[in-house]
């Protein structure tokens, strides 16, 4: 087995034992693809570990490992690509595999799980016990969730590398203090430009008088450039230096070549900085560097953890009046470069994971029905801070009797699992309510029982409403399970907030009875259902948020639902949580 792959697998620390996160992903795949067996595998030199699985027979389900000659996933690792086989007995590579008889594998589909350098570490796979033609949607879902698994593996490798480096740094108290502050600074944001600006603020004055930071994109072109000086009087000059370097398309490749040969910092300790200036810059940039003080310098590579690929560089510069860099400072600087590389990698992994989660979330949002006399507009927005998406959702569907069901809910959590669980809860709401004339309260009580009986791991808030036409008016009946109250914009421009006695969340302790509330609504009204991301913020009370949306709605009864929705979203200064909105315009006959 490739030594690089063995090192990466060893860093994962995944032995022959169950892993809760990968078991959950395997369960999600098994449910959404409807396959008897779903596996997360990690390949080693001796066999394959099974940290995530559902549906395997004994002894493999308990042992969590298989010999290599039982592995179909090794073919995925060898090819580096997805392998899809409707019947493994007809495939020359697989037809002699003993797992066909002992495990009952007939159909197989597997996607590679890779580290940050594209090295295949294992697979996310599904199998069936009879011949099966895997559909394009099933394979697309498998690919998307494979990206989630790969992201988790990369993050674990990055964490392990971080732990190794942190242990190595504990010998120097001053270095540890600096690096601890730097780690907190880089972890405080997933915006890589902001992170590198903060990095400059940490090291300038601690390791050097000033610093100049560059980062490339995967193609090698300049992605980021910034400068920072410990003296606030030079802040404008540092900003000008970075701006000129950006406009002049600073030759970052020349800078990287200086450190790529060894992957270590290199330094110049004399008072003649001309060699560095001649190699890296010229003209006004050199003049600005001299103005800030250029005596000795240290070029530090920003390296990717695991692959050790050079992504950029930090140039630490001391003025003529400061002593040259010591070996201890050089070692600390090398650690700064490694941690900056880890932040860059984590940001890129986060971006990919956010994209996958958003795609999954958007794919689960419904197509709203067209209903005579009712204008429906739904909107979902992920959080701007922290995790990408969560379990917020909205739905509307017409009943055979002509009534319209409306629902908005929020499954706890902000990750791929919350998004997948949201899809289960929404489908349970539809399946339970469709074709029944029960009031929303009993329907929510039945949903609560279904969540417990089917062992759906969900704690959720929700509002479920039924809308009926009654002559010229509308009748709205609704039930509320721990959710923010519905809001009504009346035809006269006044706003009603439908506060009721709060009832517990779904998925906690099932209740035999849930209350149904009733309202008569005039045509020309607009009903708003929403999740707490619209009105809640860690620094404010929910009452403040509801007062804000009241002010947005007040006096605007003629605005269409789309415009009201846009104004409500604009009123949120920064989304600390994801938001789901359902705006229902009720027209007259």
């Amino acid at each position: 087995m490739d030594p690089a792959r063995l090192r990466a697998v060893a860093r994962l620390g995944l032995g022959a034992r169950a892993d809760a996160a990968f078991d959950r992903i395997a369960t999600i795949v098994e449910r959404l693809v409807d396959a008897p067996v779903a596996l997360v595998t990690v390949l080693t030199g001796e066999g394959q570990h099974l940290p995530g699985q559902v549906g395997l027979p004994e002894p493999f389900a308990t042992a969590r490992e298989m010999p290599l000659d039982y592995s179909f996933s090794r073919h995925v690792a060898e090819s580096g690509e997805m392998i899809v086989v409707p019947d493994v007995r007809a495939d020359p590579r697989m037809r002699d595999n003993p797992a066909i008889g002992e495990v009952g594998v007939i159909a197989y589909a597997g996607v590679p799980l890779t580290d940050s350098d594209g090295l295949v570490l294992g697979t996310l796979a599904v199998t069936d016990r009879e011949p099966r033609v895997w559909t394009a949607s099933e394979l697309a879902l498998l690919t998307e969730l494979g990206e989630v698994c790969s992201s988790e593996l990369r993050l674990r490798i990055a964490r392990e590398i971080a732990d190794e480096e942190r242990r190595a740094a504990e010998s120097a108290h001053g270095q540890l203090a600096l690096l601890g502050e730097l780690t907190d600074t880089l972890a405080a944001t997933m915006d890589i430009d902001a992170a590198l600006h903060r990095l400059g603020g940490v090291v300038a004055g601690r390791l050097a008088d000033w610093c100049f930071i560059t980062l490339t994109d995967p193609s090698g072109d300049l992605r980021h450039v910034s400068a920072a000086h410990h003296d606030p009087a030079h802040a404008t000059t540092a900003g000008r230096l970075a701006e000129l370097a950006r406009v002049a398309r600073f030759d970052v490749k020349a800078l990287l070549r200086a450190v790529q040969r060894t992957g270590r910092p290199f330094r110049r300790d004399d008072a003649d900085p001309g060699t560095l200036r001649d190699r890296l810059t010229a003209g006004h940039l050199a003049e600005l560097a001299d103005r800030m003080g250029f005596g000795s310098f240290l070029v530090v590579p920003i390296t990717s953890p695991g692959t050790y690929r050079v992504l950029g560089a930090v140039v630490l510069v001391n003025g003529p009046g400061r002593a040259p860099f010591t070996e201890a400072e050089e070692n600390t600087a090398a650690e700064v470069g490694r941690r900056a590389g880890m932040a860059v990698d984590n940001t890129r992994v986060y971006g990919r994971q956010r994209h996958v989660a958003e795609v999954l979330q958007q794919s689960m949002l419904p197509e709203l029905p067209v209903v005579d006399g009712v204008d429906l507009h739904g909107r979902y927005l992920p959080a701007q801070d922290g995790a990408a998406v969560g379990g917020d959702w909205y739905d509307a569907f017409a009943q055979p009797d002509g009534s319209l069901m409306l629902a908005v809910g929020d499954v706890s959590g902000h990750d791929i699992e919350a998004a997948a669980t949201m899809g289960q809860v929404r489908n349970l709401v539809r399946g339970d309510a469709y074709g029944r004339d029960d009031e929303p309260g009993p329907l929510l009580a039945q949903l609560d029982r279904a969540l417990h009986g089917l062992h759906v791991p969900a704690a959720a808030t929700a509002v479920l409403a039924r809308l009926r036409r009654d002559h010229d008016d509308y009748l709205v009946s609704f039930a509320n399970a721990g959710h923010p109250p519905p809001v009504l914009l009346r035809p006269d421009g006044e706003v009603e907030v439908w506060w009721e006695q709060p009832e517990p969340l779904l998925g906690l302790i099932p209740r035999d009875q849930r209350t149904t509330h009733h309202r008569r609504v005039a045509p020309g009204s607009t009903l708003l259902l929403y999740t707490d991301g619209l009105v809640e913020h860690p620094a404010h009370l929910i009452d403040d948020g509801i007062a804000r949306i009241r002010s947005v709605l007040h006096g605007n009864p003629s605005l269409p639902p789309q415009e009201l929705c846009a104004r409500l979203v604009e009123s949120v200064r920064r989304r600390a949580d994801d938001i789901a909105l359902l705006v229902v315009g009720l027209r007259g006959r």
Side-chain angles (χ1 to χ4, degrees):
M1 189 175 181
D2 185 347
R5 183 183 297 163
L6 287 174
R7 288 194 299 272
V9 170
R11 280 196 170 111
L12 289 172
L14 293 171
R17 60 181 181 274
D19 183 282
F22 290 124
D23 269 345
R24 286 195 295 269
I25 291 176
T27 300
I28 292 171
V29 172
E30 181 263 342
R31 289 174 181 171
L32 297 181
V33 178
D34 193 24
V37 177
L39 304 171
V40 178
T41 73
V42 174
L43 297 168
T44 70
E46 298 76 32
Q48 69 175 9
H49 296 317
L50 306 169
Q53 72 86 22
V54 61
L56 271 181
E58 297 294 345
F60 305 108
T62 300
R64 293 289 179 146
E65 62 181 350
M66 281 184 176
L68 278 179
D69 58 348
Y70 281 66
S71 174
F72 294 93
S73 297
R74 61 191 172 93
H75 301 295
V76 177
E78 291 166 2
S79 68
E81 299 176 347
M82 174 192 287
I83 290 181
V84 180
V85 184
D87 191 335
V88 296
R89 297 169 299 183
D91 191 304
R93 298 168 298 177
M94 302 179 178
R95 61 191 176 197
D96 296 326
N97 192 310
I100 296 174
E102 296 187 30
V103 184
V105 177
I106 301 299
Y108 173 86
V111 295
L113 307 181
T114 61
D115 66 7
S116 297
D117 203 36
L119 193 65
V120 179
L121 306 181
T123 63
L124 176 64
V126 289
T127 70
D128 208 331
R129 300 185 181 95
E130 57 187 23
R132 175 170 178 173
V133 176
W134 305 96
T135 67
S137 61
E138 291 169 343
L139 297 178
L141 179 62
L142 192 65
T143 300
E144 295 286 357
L145 292 177
E147 277 296 319
V148 175
C149 286
S150 292
S151 297
E152 178 67 16
L153 293 175
R154 293 166 191 159
L155 288 172
R156 293 190 184 195
I157 290 173
R159 291 192 204 104
E160 179 57 27
I161 293 171
D163 289 341
E164 293 172 1
E165 294 173 346
R166 185 170 58 253
R167 287 191 292 268
E170 287 175 351
S171 60
H173 176 73
Q175 174 182 332
L176 184 61
L178 171 63
L179 295 177
E181 181 180 342
L182 180 63
T183 298
D184 292 341
T185 298
L186 296 177
T189 178
M190 282 296 177
D191 183 329
I192 192 59
D193 293 309
L196 293 179
H197 276 290
R198 294 176 183 181
L199 182 151
V202 171
V203 301
R206 305 275 288 275
L207 277 180
D209 288 337
W210 62 278
C211 66
F212 180 74
I213 302 171
T214 63
L215 181 70
T216 63
D217 60 22
S219 66
D221 295 328
L222 186 63
R223 161 70 176 80
H224 168 95
V225 58
S226 61
H229 198 289
H230 77 94
D231 186 350
H234 287 293
T236 301
T237 304
R240 179 64 176 160
L241 177 70
E243 181 61 26
L244 283 176
R246 186 181 303 108
V247 172
R249 296 187 178 276
F250 177 76
D251 186 9
V252 68
K253 295 179 181 178
L255 183 62
L256 299 188
R257 283 196 295 270
V259 291
Q260 279 177 336
R261 287 188 292 273
T262 63
R264 290 281 303 173
F266 79 88
R267 53 181 166 165
R268 174 65 65 99
D269 293 335
D270 56 44
D272 177 15
T275 302
L276 180 66
R277 290 207 309 271
D278 292 344
R279 182 188 300 165
L280 305 179
T281 183
H284 295 301
L285 294 182
E287 294 174 10
L288 293 172
D290 279 339
R291 191 181 305 170
M292 292 193 293
F294 208 126
S296 59
F297 67 84
L298 184 66
V299 181
V300 183
I302 297 176
T303 53
S304 170
T307 66
Y308 303 106
R309 186 167 64 89
V310 177
L311 307 172
V314 179
V315 182
L316 301 172
V317 185
N318 281 332
R322 185 163 173 167
F325 292 96
T326 65
E327 183 177 352
E329 289 172 330
E330 181 177 329
N331 290 334
T332 301
E335 186 69 20
V336 168
R338 282 193 289 269
R339 297 201 177 199
M342 188 184 309
V344 172
D345 252 21
N346 285 347
T347 300
R348 290 174 178 172
V349 169
Y350 169 82
R352 288 192 292 267
Q353 194 170 27
R354 180 183 180 97
H355 171 71
V356 170
E358 286 179 355
V359 168
L360 178 60
Q361 179 89 18
Q362 292 295 333
S363 71
M364 292 182 177
L365 295 177
E367 180 177 348
L368 295 176
V370 177
V371 180
D372 184 39
V374 178
D375 294 326
L376 292 170
H377 185 73
R379 188 89 175 268
Y380 172 80
L381 294 166
Q384 291 174 297
D385 301 321
V389 299
D392 288 23
W393 55 278
Y394 63 84
D395 198 6
F397 55 94
Q399 292 279 32
D401 63 2
S403 63
L404 180 66
M405 300 302 298
L406 308 169
V408 165
D410 183 359
V411 174
S412 63
H414 294 89
D415 51 25
I416 193 76
E417 185 178 354
T421 303
M422 174 274 294
Q424 291 180 272
V425 174
R426 192 202 72 183
N427 289 337
L428 281 173
V429 171
R430 284 192 159 212
D432 180 50
Y434 185 78
R436 295 172 59 176
D437 58 1
D438 302 58
E439 296 279 19
L443 290 175
L444 277 189
Q446 174 56 28
L447 174 63
D448 214 357
R449 289 189 290 271
L451 292 175
H452 282 268
L454 297 175
H455 305 291
V456 178
T461 68
V463 167
L464 180 64
R466 185 188 293 270
L467 178 68
R468 301 177 188 270
R469 196 70 187 252
D470 184 50
H471 301 292
D472 291 333
D473 292 338
Y474 291 87
L475 299 180
V476 179
S477 57
F478 69 96
N480 189 329
H483 201 78
V487 174
L488 183 74
L489 172 59
R490 299 191 324 224
D492 61 3
E494 295 299 316
V495 179
E496 297 178 5
V497 180
W498 290 355
W499 292 106
E500 298 292 349
Q501 185 70 26
E503 294 189 352
L505 280 64
L506 300 166
L508 300 180
I509 300 175
R511 291 170 61 95
D512 292 333
Q513 301 291 331
R514 285 187 178 270
T515 307
T516 299
H517 310 283
H518 299 273
R519 298 289 191 279
R520 178 175 290 274
V521 176
S525 300
T526 300
L527 178 64
L528 171 65
L529 304 180
Y530 56 95
T531 56
D532 57 3
L534 183 66
V535 293
E536 288 188 351
H537 189 278
H540 303 285
L541 297 173
I542 187 173
D543 291 351
D544 298 331
I546 290 178
R548 171 172 44 79
I549 66 173
R550 287 189 70 151
S551 67
V552 171
L553 296 175
H554 187 267
N556 291 305
S558 61
L559 290 181
Q562 296 91 327
E563 178 63 23
L564 286 174
C565 187
R567 294 192 182 191
L568 288 166
V569 170
E570 289 170 1
S571 74
V572 182
R573 292 183 179 178
R574 185 165 185 85
R575 297 191 301 276
D577 196 0
D578 48 346
I579 298 173
L581 283 170
L582 184 60
V583 184
V584 186
L586 306 176
R587 301 195 304 267
R589 292 188 184 276

